[in-house]
Structure formats: structure tokens, C-alpha cells
Amino acid sequence: MNRLMQWWEALEQGVSQDWMSNVGLLLLLSAFLWGGWLLITRHLSVAAGKTRLVWDDALVGAVRRPVSWLIWLWPAALSAGVIIENTTAYSAAFLAVVRHLMLVWTFIWVLLRLITNAENAIAATAKDVTTINAISKILRLFVLVLGGLVMMQNLGLSLSGILTFGGVGGLIVGMAAKDLLANFFGAIMIYFDRPFKLGDWIRSPDRQIEGTVERIGFRMTVIRTFDKRPLYVPNSVFSSIVVENPSRMLNRRIKQKIGLRYCDAAVVGDVVRDIKTMLLQHPDIDTNQTLIVSFDNYGPSSLDILIYTFTKTTHWVAYKDIQQDVMLKIVEIVRRHGAGFAFPTTTVHLPEHALVTEGEPASEVL
């Protein structure tokens, strides 16, 4: 055991009498460990797949690739140190720092993959995907910042000096990147206020923005318009515009005006009553919401009836089918009462005693 420890210390220091054999031994050791690691992770994946937990699958998927790289890169760094010390006049002491950085980066890589895997697994069944997306972004940012500080410390940098510089230079950076910070805080506002979430249909009457939310990032939000074009909107825009979220509608409204002819004035009341009865009995109309059918206005060439009601569904295609069914039933009601729909007309009344110019045919008098 002592000889094994002495051999390992000699490798770490780059001092080895038979350095070529030791480099080959390290490569064989890497291959053996890599094969064993693949076998272990395969069995762990099978065992994790039999459970209902998402964390075991996420953890196995997170550690598999980073550890595989570490198994090859760590002995490769040791081998490089042995070769440098035994074949050149340069020192391989810097490789000790490189190996420490490998460990730190492997740990960071595992955490980032674990966060991503857990996010994907939880989002597949979660109702609030936006919150999960926000929490994962914050966790990834925290891991990257903390890992960056640890790596800087391994490089010999003073953390107190870095933090002091960050306090002094933060103001300068903030002024230079005010738009970036505005977009960042705009993203925080979206995550906490939740005016919309992933998959929502939104639009703004202030801007030409309308479509489905595909992604909410720290700098911009991606909206897919209805003609399938991606629209990239900086998050700071949402703090200064009005945003409508039709996806959160409870009902969809049917609002129509139909015009009957003036000669059908005697049956207007009957038509109004039958239309209202039809709507009250319609299975897709929400009678708990406002329902109005009334003689509304004397139009220039029609007697106008207002129809105002709400459907139970909010789905666009189903709503259009219901609206079509209601309008066709209204046509049947109007025809059943012997009435007709008015259209713009103009009636000209001529005097009974029209003047006829002497010698001019009466048929040409207007």
C-alpha cells in the first residue's frame, strides 16, 4: 500500500524513472475505470427507471458524461506532467491547478445537468411551467457564479479583492449595461407578476405584438406569431405596454346585430323572443353570463336587433362552430316568421303631378 501511495505521489509530482511505462499504465487504468463506470451507470439507469422518482433518473443522467470525461482527462493531465518533467526543462507544477479546475468544472457540469434534467422531468407533468423555468434559470446562474468564484480562487485570485472590485465596478457596469439590466428586471417582473406563461396567447394593443409565448428568457421573450414567424421582444418592453392575455378568458363572446326590413315591424317582437329562447336552450351557450336579445335601433334601412351572449368554450375552433350554428338558427327563425333581412336601399318619391315639357315624351321625365 505504501509503495502504491509513493507511486501515485511520484506521478502527481511528475517524477518517474520509468515514465513511459507509467504513462501507458495510466492509460490502461483510464480504460479500465471508464469501462467499469459505463457498466455501473447502465445498471443504475435500469434501477432508476423502475422507480417513480424523477430525481434518481436526473442524477444518473447528470453524472454519466462529466465523470466519463474526468476519468480520461485526470490521468491525461498526470501523464502530461510526467512527460513534461522527464523530457523537458519546464516545470509541470501548473498542472496541479489544472487538475483542481477539472474537479471544480466537473462538479459544476454535474449540477447544471442535474438542474436541466430535473426541470425537464418536472415540467412534463407540472401545470406552472413558467415558474419551474424561472427557478431553474436562477439555480443555473447561482451555480455558475459560485463555480466561477471557486475557480478564480484556485487560480490564486483574491475573492475579497474581486468582491471589492465588483462593488466599485458594479456602478460602471450597470450604467453601461442599463438596457441589459432593464431586460433582466423585466424578466423578474414577468416571473413574479405572471401576466402570461409559456404557451399563452398574448397581444398588445399598444404594439404589433400577438402570438403564442414560446420562451421567456432573462433578456427577451420569444413569441410565435400566428403566421409562424418568431417575434423577439425585449423584456423591458412589457413594463411599459398593455398586454392582453386571451388564453385566460373564461368565455368567448358572440355579439351580432341583425337588421330586419321595416315592413317586418309586426313580427320583430316574435323574432326577438324566439331567438332568446333558442339561446337559452342551446347546450353550448353559458346562460349564467349576460344574455341580451333586444330590438336595439331604427337603422337607415333596417330594424336592428342586438344579440349578445357568451359560449361555454374558449377554444377558438369550437367557438367558431358554435357561432355558426347560432347564426344559422337565427336565419331559420327569421324565415319562419316570414320576415327578411334588410339591406341598404334608397326610396325616391316622385310628385304625382310631374311637369312635362311641351313636345317631350312623358317616359323621359324623371
Side-chain angles (χ1 to χ4, degrees), residues 11 38 76 118 165 172 198 205 241 243 249 251 262 277:
L11 286 177
L38 290 181
F165 174 76
I172 301 173
L198 295 179
I241 64 173
V243 177
M249 290 188 299
N251 305 85
Y262 269 89
T277 301

Side-chain angles (χ1 to χ4, degrees), residues 20-251:
M20 295 184 65
S21 299
N22 287 330
V23 168
L25 185 61
L26 284 173
L27 293 176
L28 289 175
L29 180 62
S30 297
F32 176 77
L33 291 176
W34 183 64
W37 176 247
L38 290 181
L39 186 63
I40 291 172
T41 53
R42 184 174 300 174
H43 286 290
L44 289 176
S45 297
V46 173
K50 296 179 180 179
T51 66
R52 296 182 179 180
L53 299 175
V54 299
W55 295 102
D56 51 358
D57 298 275
L59 181 60
V60 173
V63 300
R64 179 183 298 169
R65 184 175 296 178
V67 174
S68 296
W69 279 96
L70 184 65
I71 288 174
W72 286 105
L73 292 179
W74 184 275
L78 288 175
S79 300
V82 172
I83 295 173
I84 291 174
E85 290 287 350
N86 288 274
T87 61
T88 67
Y90 298 100
S91 174
F94 71 94
L95 289 175
V97 178
V98 172
R99 291 195 296 271
H100 291 162
L101 293 178
M102 285 182 187
L103 286 176
V104 175
W105 173 244
T106 301
F107 186 67
I108 295 172
W109 192 5
V110 169
L111 289 179
L112 292 176
R113 286 172 60 87
L114 178 61
I115 293 170
T116 300
N117 293 342
E119 176 190 5
N120 295 334
I122 296 174
T125 57
K127 295 181 179 180
D128 192 357
V129 181
T130 304
T131 301
I132 296 173
N133 186 264
I135 293 174
S136 65
K137 282 185 171 65
I138 293 173
L139 289 176
R140 277 193 285 266
L141 182 62
F142 176 77
V143 169
L144 287 174
V145 171
L146 186 61
L149 292 175
V150 174
M151 294 179 75
M152 289 179 184
Q153 189 175 25
N154 277 275
L155 290 172
L157 299 175
S158 173
L159 290 182
S160 60
I162 294 173
L163 295 176
T164 303
F165 174 76
V168 176
L171 180 62
I172 301 173
V173 174
M175 294 179 64
K178 60 179 182 179
D179 291 337
L180 182 61
L181 292 176
N183 291 327
F184 174 78
F185 286 109
I188 298 299
M189 178 202 70
I190 293 172
Y191 287 132
F192 284 100
D193 292 345
R194 298 183 182 180
F196 52 82
K197 59 182 177 61
L198 295 179
D200 279 0
W201 162 28
I202 65 171
R203 63 187 175 199
S204 173
D206 301 337
R207 302 284 185 92
Q208 293 182 350
I209 298 174
E210 184 171 11
T212 304
V213 179
E214 280 196 345
R215 186 174 65 85
I216 304 174
F218 278 128
R219 195 177 71 84
M220 64 175 59
T221 296
V222 181
I223 299 173
R224 181 72 59 175
T225 62
F226 293 127
D227 56 357
K228 302 306 179 183
R229 291 180 295 112
L231 188 64
Y232 302 93
V233 184
N235 291 327
S236 59
V237 172
F238 293 107
S239 62
S240 59
I241 64 173
V242 176
V243 177
E244 296 179 5
N245 192 337
S247 298
R248 297 180 183 176
M249 290 188 299
L250 301 177
N251 305 85

